[in-house]
Amino acid sequence: MLWRFITDFFTYETTKSVVVKSWSVGIINRVVQLLIIIYFVCWVFLHEKAYQVKDSGIESSVMTKVKGFGYHNNRVMDVADYVAPTQGAAVFCIITKLIVTEQQFQGLCPEVSPFQSRIITGACVNSSEGGRCEMEGWCPAENDKVIMQPMMEVENFTIFIKNSIRFPMFNVTRGNFPSSLNTTYIRSCTYDPEHNRHCPIFKVGDVLRYTGQNFSTIAQTGGEIGINIEWECNLDESEERCEPHYSFTRLDAVFQKNAISQGYNFRFAKYYKTENGMENRTDFRTLHKAYAIRFDILVTGLAGKFNTVPTLINLVAAFTSVGLGTVLCDIILLNFLKGADQYKAKKFEEVSESQIQILLSQESCSQLSIKPEEKISDDSGAVSLCLDQQL
Ligand SMILES: Nc1ncnc2c1ncn2[C@@H]1O[C@H](COP(=O)(O)OP(=O)(O)OP(=O)(O)O)[C@@H](O)[C@H]1O
């Protein structure tokens, strides 16, 4: 028993092939194999670089700074007036239009817009616009229906973007502009995808133009612009060639055709105290409703470097896939070609149950002293064979 197991174990099985000498199937087979090889070489290996190990877990830090002066409501506005928040984060707003309600005190007054969320006292009062509900809160109430010209100079403002990234898998660190850039150049350059792609200073008007937006419309209503910094790095080449690519989109484009909320705005207030005596000083505030262009700097990255593991896996996949041509050829050969039945007969050897039973009983051949390779027929006509080795 043990000996039989050992001899069974140390055997080698190989598939029996049928060689079909047909021009048509032969050509189809070779063409399919060629297409599979071209697909793996050109697309999988050269285009998709399947021989590389990839790292998309990019670590990134973004710093921004805006510069420029503008006029709004007869006042000169500088960066501290129109950028929020002021820290220079990856998400920041440039205010284009402000509706200012000055000297608001806590008290009772007529509401201006019935849609604003106020605490209504239930009383009716006369106002310059006629009868109104009385409200309790910061008075006078804000009137955001006033026509206000946006600050048109925003178009010429510049945004400085400083982005450093790291691919942790390869420990590669890069910055979005070369260390060789000097102050004179950085102060005078503006980004241009063709002539000045290393310049980290972006003109607001240019950014809006790249997204296909009209400046006067977005300045009126506000909006959200995405600046995408994409790092696609082939680290088999020099690290110096690992450079950012910028693309620009309007992120809130889907809402532009809406009847409501077409742009972007927010409110903030500056709080003061009156001067009447040290003890009973009263709080008052200036409320601002700000329409702003909100910029989101989004950083994405993918780095790849040669590695033996993906190379071997994809090579094996490629060689295995070359064999797929036979599946298609078999379908044609066994169904659509002249003499398909004969091919079928050659390819599939049919064995009936009775034959199997006879073959399974061959162990007893030796006991019955039937010679190896000797053919015996039974009553049903099935021909069986005594093999010289056990099944
Ligand atoms: N939005 C911008 N437009 C044009 N140049 C800018 C802008 N932001 C910064 N810079 C210039 O880029 C360089 C680097 O800016 P950084 O903020 O690191 O230095 P800084 O000397 O503190 O800048 P600042 O001129 O604001 O004092 C500086 O020369 C700065 O003037």
Side-chain angles (χ1 to χ4, degrees):
M1 195 65 192
L2 180 69
W3 180 245
R4 190 183 161 189
F5 173 77
I6 292 170
T7 50
D8 278 358
F9 184 75
F10 289 105
T11 53
Y12 171 68
E13 287 171 21
T14 182
T15 45
K16 186 176 151 187
S17 303
V18 178
V19 178
V20 179
K21 299 222 167 180
S22 154
W23 276 97
S24 42
V25 186
I27 290 170
I28 292 170
N29 184 32
R30 294 297 176 213
V31 168
V32 172
Q33 286 181 341
L34 190 70
L35 288 178
I36 292 171
I37 290 169
I38 291 174
Y39 166 76
F40 269 94
V41 172
C42 297
W43 180 260
V44 178
F45 280 93
L46 296 181
H47 186 268
E48 292 293 302
K49 298 192 176 64
Y51 56 85
Q52 290 185 328
V53 64
K54 310 267 184 195
D55 182 10
S56 60
I58 187 172
E59 291 170 359
S60 156
S61 134
V62 174
M63 184 227 99
T64 58
K65 191 179 252 187
V66 183
K67 287 201 172 184
F69 294 94
Y71 274 100
H72 186 267
N73 210 12
N74 296 327
R75 275 176 58 186
V76 173
M77 306 268 282
D78 71 6
V79 61
D81 298 316
Y82 59 70
V83 169
T86 50
Q87 286 86 351
V91 180
F92 64 94
C93 302
I94 300 182
I95 296 169
T96 53
K97 192 172 90 174
L98 275 173
I99 292 172
V100 184
T101 314
E102 288 189 87
Q103 307 242 347
Q104 282 191 323
F105 287 86
Q106 282 283 317
L108 299 169
C109 54
E111 68 167 5
V112 174
S113 165
F115 302 110
Q116 283 175 1
S117 48
R118 309 260 179 221
I119 295 175
I120 305 293
T121 60
C124 289
V125 285
N126 281 327
S127 75
S128 50
E129 281 102 31
R132 295 272 175 195
C133 295
E134 189 185 56
M135 56 155 263
E136 185 184 353
W138 288 100
C139 292
E142 175 197 76
N143 178 11
D144 63 355
K145 298 288 172 288
V146 291
I147 311 278
M148 184 67 71
Q149 271 307 306
M151 185 163 57
M152 297 308 277
E153 293 80 9
V154 173
E155 204 174 0
N156 296 321
F157 289 0
T158 51
I159 304 165
F160 170 50
I161 301 177
K162 196 162 110 182
N163 172 217
S164 60
I165 57 118
R166 182 172 169 262
F167 288 108
M169 191 186 276
F170 308 115
N171 197 19
V172 168
T173 314
R174 302 288 300 154
N176 67 325
F177 56 88
S179 44
S180 53
L181 288 196
N182 59 36
T183 319
T184 333
Y185 174 79
I186 221 166
R187 280 198 177 145
S188 58
C189 76
T190 45
Y191 171 82
D192 182 291
E194 273 163 32
H195 307 110
N196 238 347
R197 60 194 174 89
H198 291 300
C199 178
I201 312 278
F202 298 79
K203 212 169 125 188
V204 172
D206 289 345
V207 171
L208 295 176
R209 201 158 37 79
Y210 297 138
T211 61
Q213 298 301 311
N214 178 293
F215 173 74
S216 22
T217 315
I218 204 168
Q220 271 293 350
T221 59
E224 201 175 353
I225 300 291
I227 300 180
N228 188 21
I229 310 179
E230 196 184 340
W231 293 85
E232 205 166 297
C233 298
N234 180 0
L235 298 176
D236 292 330
E237 294 174 356
S238 157
E239 261 182 39
E240 296 303 309
R241 297 188 66 180
C242 179
E243 288 175 354
H245 292 276
Y246 301 93
S247 57
F248 309 87
T249 43
R250 175 143 189 195
L251 297 174
D252 62 345
V254 279
F255 302 113
Q256 270 180 284
K257 292 195 175 67
N258 281 19
I260 50 146
S261 193
Q262 282 186 348
Y264 172 68
N265 65 70
F266 58 93
R267 287 184 174 83
F268 63 93
K270 288 176 183 162
Y271 292 84
Y272 309 93
K273 278 188 187 291
T274 54
E275 279 182 21
N276 49 352
M278 279 307 277
E279 261 127 64
N280 48 9
R281 291 172 68 182
T282 325
D283 284 330
F284 71 100
R285 71 175 195 182
T286 302
L287 177 70
H288 299 80
K289 179 172 181 179
Y291 291 82
I293 306 175
R294 184 178 132 146
F295 291 88
D296 280 27
I297 319 283
L298 312 159
V299 184
T300 53
L302 182 68
K305 198 174 189 172
F306 173 81
N307 190 286
T308 46
V309 176
T311 310
L312 282 177
I313 291 172
N314 284 293
L315 274 178
V316 169
F319 286 126
T320 319
S321 304
V322 170
L324 282 180
T326 53
V327 176
L328 182 71
C329 292
D330 276 359
I331 294 170
I332 296 168
L333 186 75
L334 303 173
N335 296 292
F336 304 110
L337 230 61
K338 237 198 268 170
D341 285 342
Q342 285 162 36
Y343 287 127
K344 233 180 239 174
K346 288 273 181 203
K347 186 167 165 63
F348 303 107
E349 213 174 304
E350 284 181 16
V351 181
S352 71
E353 211 173 80
S354 57
Q355 283 172 304
I356 290 169
Q357 278 168 6
I358 291 161
L359 285 171
L360 286 174
S361 65
Q362 292 307 302
E363 236 181 13
S364 53
C365 281
S366 54
Q367 289 160 14
L368 296 168
S369 62
I370 301 168
K371 285 187 211 138
E373 303 293 320
E374 190 180 338
K375 279 183 182 166
I376 34 171
S377 317
D378 63 6
D379 296 343
S380 68
V383 178
S384 55
L385 196 65
C386 260
L387 301 175
D388 58 352
Q389 51 180 315
Q390 286 174 335
L391 286 168

